[in-house]
């Protein structure tokens, strides 16, 4: 059933986002073609056409990023606590499945948006021989420094980004779940988000001032191996922090959705 929920979420959001992805890639291709033929040098009309396409591409990219975040939030609110909430909660599934499917869907769409945006930038910026130069740079790094350790640090950063994205999504869901306890749900959700953010920032500040982070970062920066190890320790400390936050956000959201559901 979890798979069906995720499929439904992906389809529901994809109806809006996929056309924007296609438009962004199309505009990137047109921009690349215009750059290749130097259309702006032909005439004033060419400059105008180039300006319009470039502006449309930038606007579309910004819109996709904002639209993805908006749809993730709006869809959770509408299908869990809004007009479609009655239908959602009559399904033979547990609250945890609803939360997991919506979190997974949000994560996948945000990642896909970033991939499409990166692809469009690569289409516009591609130059002949670029990949050959990239491979040369990697060979140089392999010879001059500890490439394997750096790649490991990069993998840790990607993992940190994954946990941070999931944690942020669940924090928003928890804020919406708290907000539905109030008569004015939107204002309650916004207030809950501000309050939770304040508490999290306060706790983060306390941890930062406790000396725990300093103990990881008190290293000899001239020693590359020690510097990379210290950096990785710090990243894993942050990952652990996000795991704790994710557990709290999920637990509160699941409790409110199960015990304190308010669809009025």
């Amino acid at each position: 059933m979890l798979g069906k929920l995720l499929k439904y979420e992906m389809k529901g959001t994809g109806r809006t986002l996929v056309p924007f992805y296609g438009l962004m890639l199309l505009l990137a291709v047109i921009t690349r073609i215009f750059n290749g033929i130097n259309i702006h040098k032909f005439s004033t009309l060419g400059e105008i056409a180039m300006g319009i396409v470039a502006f449309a591409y930038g606007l579309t990219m910004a819109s996709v990023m904002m639209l993805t975040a908006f749809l993730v939030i709006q869809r959770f609110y509408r299908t869990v606590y809004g007009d479609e909430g009655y239908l959602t909660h009559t399904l033979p599934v547990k609250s945890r499945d609803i939360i997991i499917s919506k979190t997974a869907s949000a994560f996948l769409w945000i990642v896909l948006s970033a991939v499409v945006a990166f692809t469009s930038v690569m289409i516009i910026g591609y130059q002949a021989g670029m990949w050959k130069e990239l491979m040369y740079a990697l060979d140089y790094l392999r010879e001059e420094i500890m490439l394997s350790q750096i790649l490991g640090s990069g993998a840790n950063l990607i993992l940190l980004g994954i946990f941070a994205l999931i944690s942020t999504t669940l924090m928003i869901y928890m804020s919406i779940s708290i907000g539905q306890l109030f008569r004015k749900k939107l204002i309650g959700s916004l207030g809950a988000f501000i309050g939770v953010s304040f508490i999290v920032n306060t706790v983060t500040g306390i941890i930062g001032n406790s000396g725990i982070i300093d103990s990881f970062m008190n290293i000899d920066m001239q020693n590359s191996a020690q510097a990379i190890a210290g950096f990785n320790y710090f990243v894993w400390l942050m990952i652990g922090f996000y795991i704790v936050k994710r557990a709290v956000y999920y637990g509160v959201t699941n409790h409110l959705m199960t015990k304190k559901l308010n669809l009025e």
Side-chain angles (χ1 to χ4, degrees), residues 12 91 191:
L91 295 174

Short mmCIF file of all heavy atoms in Angstrom, two decimals, residues 12 91 191:
data_model
loop_
_atom_site.label_atom_id
_atom_site.label_comp_id
_atom_site.label_asym_id
_atom_site.label_seq_id
_atom_site.Cartn_x
_atom_site.Cartn_y
_atom_site.Cartn_z
N GLY A 12 0.26 12.92 -8.70
CA GLY A 12 -0.47 14.14 -8.38
C GLY A 12 0.38 15.39 -8.51
O GLY A 12 -0.07 16.43 -9.00
N LEU A 91 -8.68 5.84 3.92
CA LEU A 91 -7.93 4.78 3.27
C LEU A 91 -7.44 3.77 4.31
O LEU A 91 -7.12 4.14 5.44
CB LEU A 91 -6.73 5.36 2.52
CG LEU A 91 -7.04 6.30 1.34
CD1 LEU A 91 -5.75 6.91 0.81
CD2 LEU A 91 -7.76 5.54 0.23
N GLY A 191 2.86 30.05 12.77
CA GLY A 191 3.36 30.29 14.12
C GLY A 191 4.15 29.11 14.66
O GLY A 191 5.19 29.28 15.30
#
